[in-house]
Amino acid sequence: MNLLRAVNASLLKLAGWGTIFFMGIIAVVIPYEVFGRYVIKSMSVWSGEVSTFSLAWATMLGGAVGLRRGYQVAMTAVVDAVPPGLGRLLRGAGILFMLCFLAAMTWYGAVQTLVNFDQTSPAMGIPMGYPYACLPVGFFVMFMLTLEQALLFFGTKPPKETEA
Amino acid sequence: MIAVFLAAFVVLLSLGTPIAVGLGGSAMIYLLFNPDIELTILPQTIFGGMTSFPLLAIPLFMLAGNLMNEGGLTEDLVRFARLVIGHIRGGLGHATVIACAIFAAISGSAVATAVAIGMIMIPAMKREGFDEDLGAAITATAACMGPIIPPSIPFILYGVIANVSIGALFLGGVIPGLILGFGLMVYTGHEARRRRYRVHRKASYREMLAGGWKALPALFMPVIIMGGILGGAFTPTEAAGVTCVYAALIGVFVYRRLKLKSIPRVLLASGLESAMIMLLLGLSEPFAWIVAADRIPQLMIDAISGLSTSPWVILLLVNIILLVIGIPIETAPAIVITAPILAPMAAQLGIDPIHMGIVVCFNLVLGLITPPVGGVLFAVCGVSGLSLEKLSAAVWKPFWIALAVLLLITYIPRLSTFLPGLFMPGIR
C-alpha cells in the first residue's frame, strides 16, 4: 500500500506538471494564431492540431489529478439517502465498476494508440498515436488512483453505527 | 437494448460513480451486449469528442477568469460598481448585481462569478447593515448571470453538441441575462425598503471618473470578446485566447499584482476545472452516439406528442423535466446528457435552435442555486460562512424571480433570437 501511495504521488505530480505544460501550449498557440493572421500575415497550418491535441492531453492528465482532488462531479443523493450499510455496499460496487471500466479503457486506449501509429495527422504529419496516447496514460493514472481508493475502502472497517 | 443502456446509466449514477464514468460505463455495457461492435470504438469516439477546435474556448475562458482574479481586476470592478450605484437604497445589493453582470461578461462560469464577487461583496454588505442571508442569496442568484451573459461555458457546450452557432448563442444570452439582473435589482430595492436599510452618500463625479478609469482595463474585456466575435475578427475560441493574453498583460504590467511565479498555479487550476467538463464531454460522446443510433430523441418525441403537439406545452414539459434534472446534476453534465436528445427534438418540432439552447442552458444554470444542492450555493456558503440551510431558505425568493425570467424567455422567443437575428442574420 505504501509503495502504491508513493507511485501514485509521483504519477500525480507528473500529471499536474503535464496539465500545466499542455494548458500553457493552448494559451500560447491560440493567441499566436490571431497574431499570425493580423500582424505577421501568415497562417500556421499546425496550430489547430497542436492546440486540439494539447487539449486532449490536458483533459486526460487534468482529469486524473481532478479525480484525486474531488473535481469529478458525482450524484451521491442515493448512496447518502439509503441506510449506511447499504450505502457502503453501493459505494463499494461503484468503486469496483470504476476499476473495471478504467482498466478496460486503459487497455482499449492502448490498442487504439498502437493502431494509430500507422496513421499520420493531416496538417503536421505526425503519427496519430502520439495524441491518442493521452487516453491509455490518463486512464491508467485514474486506474491507479482508484485502486488506492479501493484498497483503502475495502481495507478499513465501516464505522460502527451508534446505538440509539 | 435501450432499456439496458438507460438502466445501466441510472444504476451507475446511483452507485455514486463520477457522472463521466456513468456516461462512458453505460456505453461500455451497451457495447458488451452488442458483440457486432468492437470496444475499441469507445476510445476512438472519446478522443473525437475531446478534440474539437470550438471546445478550446472552455479552458481559455476559465484561464482568463482565473488570471483576472489573480491580477486583482475584480476588486476594481466591484469598487466601480459601488461608486456608480452605491448611493441608492440597498445600493450594495445593486452594486453586487452589476458587478456580477460585468464579471459575467468576462467569465463564463457561475461558480467563478459567485466566488470572485461574493468574496468582496458579501462581507461588505454585512458591514453596512445588510442581513447576511439576503446578501448571500442576491450574490448566488446574480452569479447565475455568469453563464447567461456571454461568454458562457454552457453555451459553448450546447453549441458544440447541438451544432448551433456559439456566437449566436452568446448573443442570445444577453437580453435574458440583463432581464435577470434587472429583476434582481427590483427585488433588492424592494427588500431594502422593507427592511429600512440606510442610504449612503452619493459619490462625486470626480470619484466615479477615477473609479471608472481604474476599472477601465477590466471593463474593456467584454468589448474585446463580443466586439471581436461580432466584428468577425476572431472566433469565440480565439476571443478566449486573446482575453487570456490581455488579462495576463494588464495583471502583470498595469495592476502589477499578477506574479510570474503564480502562473503555473493558475494554469493548473484552470486545467483541472476545464478537464472536469472536457472529460465529461469526451466520455459523453459514445453516450450521445448510442442515443442517436437508437433513435431515443424520436422515441421521446413520440411519447411527448402523445400528450400534446403544441410546442408551447412541450417547452413547458421540457422546462419541468430540466428543473428536476438540474437539482441533483450540475449544469455541464446535465447539458451533456440532455442536449443530444433535446436539440433534434427542437428541430423536429420547429422550435428555433438558438431559442431552445438559451432555454435549456438558462434552466439548467438555475440548478446551481436550487436548494438543497448546487455548485453556486456551496461556493457562496464557502465565501460567506453562512450555513447551507440558511442560504437555502433565503435563496427561494430570488429563485422565483429567476424562474419567472425563465418562463418569460420560454414564451417570448424574440428575447433570445432578436440580437442573433440583428447581428448574425445569416446564422440559423
Side-chain angles (χ1 to χ4, degrees):
Chain A
M1 183 69 181
N2 283 341
L3 178 69
L4 181 64
R5 264 198 200 126
V7 169
N8 281 354
S10 305
L11 286 176
L12 276 172
K13 211 168 196 174
L14 281 172
W17 278 107
T19 309
I20 293 169
F21 175 73
F22 287 110
M23 279 295 292
I25 289 184
I26 295 169
V28 169
V29 168
I30 299 294
Y32 172 78
E33 197 182 67
V34 180
F35 182 78
R37 190 162 68 233
Y38 290 106
V39 184
I40 52 177
K41 310 276 182 205
S42 101
M43 294 279 284
S44 53
V45 285
W46 48 267
S47 61
E49 282 187 0
V50 168
S51 50
T52 48
F53 295 166
S54 297
L55 178 64
W57 270 98
T59 299
M60 292 310 295
L61 297 177
V65 179
L67 185 66
R68 169 56 60 91
R69 296 197 189 180
Y71 274 79
Q72 304 308 340
V73 278
M75 200 184 78
T76 56
V78 176
V79 282
D80 289 341
V82 296
L86 181 59
R88 188 175 156 81
L89 196 74
L90 293 179
R91 273 181 212 277
I95 293 173
L96 284 179
F97 179 82
M98 264 182 84
L99 275 177
C100 298
F101 174 73
L102 293 170
M105 286 300 103
T106 306
W107 173 256
Y108 287 106
V111 171
Q112 196 61 254
T113 301
L114 291 174
V115 168
N116 274 286
F117 267 110
D118 292 336
Q119 286 185 25
T120 51
S121 70
M124 290 193 295
I126 60 160
M128 282 300 288
Y130 291 118
Y132 263 96
C134 70
L135 294 174
V137 171
F139 281 126
F140 175 71
V141 180
M142 289 183 217
F143 173 82
M144 294 295 280
L145 295 173
T146 311
L147 184 65
E148 187 185 328
Q149 188 197 355
L151 291 178
L152 209 67
F153 183 86
F154 293 109
T156 50
K157 284 184 181 171
K160 280 185 183 171
E161 286 178 49
T162 49
E163 286 175 28
Chain B
M1 275 322 296
I2 298 173
V4 173
F5 171 61
L6 294 177
F9 180 58
V10 172
V11 169
L12 287 175
L13 285 196
S14 308
L15 295 179
T17 58
I19 294 174
V21 173
L23 287 163
S26 52
M28 186 175 87
I29 291 171
Y30 174 91
L31 292 179
L32 286 173
F33 278 86
N34 252 316
D36 300 342
I37 312 170
E38 283 193 34
L39 271 171
T40 45
I41 197 160
L42 272 181
Q44 205 176 338
T45 42
I46 291 168
F47 184 79
M50 290 188 303
T51 48
S52 133
F53 190 78
L55 289 174
L56 283 158
I58 292 177
L60 289 171
F61 274 127
M62 296 226 165
L63 181 61
N66 285 333
L67 282 169
M68 198 177 96
N69 246 349
E70 192 77 21
L73 280 76
T74 315
E75 287 169 40
D76 290 308
L77 268 184
V78 168
R79 198 173 300 123
F80 174 64
R82 283 179 70 170
L83 285 170
V84 172
I85 205 163
H87 59 280
I88 60 171
R89 202 179 286 279
L92 278 188
H94 294 302
T96 303
V97 176
I98 288 186
C100 280
I102 302 173
F103 194 87
I106 299 159
S107 156
S109 144
V111 174
T113 309
V115 172
I117 304 297
M119 257 182 355
I120 303 167
M121 289 309 276
I122 295 174
M125 283 192 270
K126 193 179 166 189
R127 268 198 310 274
E128 299 204 14
F130 252 76
D131 291 289
E132 204 178 7
D133 55 347
L134 176 67
I138 291 170
T139 311
T141 319
C144 288
M145 285 187 287
I148 305 298
I149 292 178
S152 156
I153 306 288
F155 288 160
I156 298 170
L157 271 177
Y158 189 88
V160 169
I161 297 169
N163 202 16
V164 181
S165 156
I166 294 169
L169 285 171
F170 275 11
L171 270 178
V174 174
I175 294 176
L178 293 180
I179 296 176
L180 176 60
F182 178 73
L184 284 175
M185 287 176 78
V186 171
Y187 169 71
T188 305
H190 168 74
E191 284 295 321
R193 268 191 304 281
R194 199 172 67 84
R195 300 177 192 219
R196 298 177 193 281
Y197 286 158
R198 280 179 297 151
V199 179
H200 292 275
R201 78 167 180 91
K202 191 176 178 183
S204 67
Y205 287 112
R206 201 186 164 86
E207 283 175 305
M208 272 192 234
L209 274 176
W213 178 251
K214 279 198 87 175
L216 195 64
L219 292 171
F220 193 60
M221 267 200 199
V223 180
I224 299 179
I225 299 170
M226 283 319 285
I229 297 172
L230 290 180
F234 28 74
T235 62
T237 302
E238 291 169 345
V242 171
T243 312
C244 285
V245 174
Y246 179 78
L249 287 178
I250 56 173
V252 172
F253 296 110
V254 180
Y255 290 92
R256 295 184 183 176
R257 288 175 211 152
L258 182 65
K259 304 283 174 238
L260 282 177
K261 67 175 181 193
S262 53
I263 298 279
R265 187 167 43 82
V266 176
L267 281 172
L268 181 63
S270 316
L272 298 189
E273 288 163 11
S274 75
M276 185 270 279
I277 294 176
M278 289 298 306
L279 200 62
L280 264 170
L281 201 70
L283 284 161
S284 77
E285 197 64 18
F287 182 90
W289 176 73
I290 293 167
V291 162
D294 273 359
R295 301 175 65 248
I296 292 177
Q298 189 56 49
L299 293 174
M300 294 275 289
I301 293 168
D302 293 346
I304 291 179
S305 305
L307 299 170
S308 170
T309 49
S310 155
W312 305 120
V313 177
I314 290 170
L315 274 172
L316 182 70
L317 288 172
V318 166
N319 266 325
I320 293 169
I321 293 167
L322 291 180
L323 279 171
V324 174
I325 289 176
I327 295 173
I329 302 180
E330 293 284 327
T331 314
I335 290 175
V336 160
I337 295 165
T338 56
I341 299 168
L342 293 177
M345 216 168 105
Q348 281 218 4
L349 295 167
I351 299 169
D352 188 292
I354 297 166
H355 178 217
M356 188 64 165
I358 305 289
V359 169
V360 170
C361 293
F362 193 106
N363 184 314
L364 291 174
V365 163
L366 293 189
L368 293 170
I369 56 161
T370 320
V373 283
V376 169
L377 285 185
F378 297 149
V380 170
C381 282
V383 294
S384 66
L386 206 68
S387 72
L388 188 60
E389 287 76 20
K390 268 193 163 178
L391 181 59
S392 295
V395 90
W396 276 115
K397 278 189 190 168
F399 175 78
W400 285 118
I401 292 170
L403 212 56
V405 178
L406 173 65
L407 279 179
L408 213 60
I409 60 168
T410 301
Y411 291 111
I412 310 177
R414 288 286 286 167
L415 294 175
S416 317
T417 57
F418 174 69
L419 287 181
L422 190 67
F423 290 102
M424 305 170 92
I427 292 184
R428 268 296 183 280

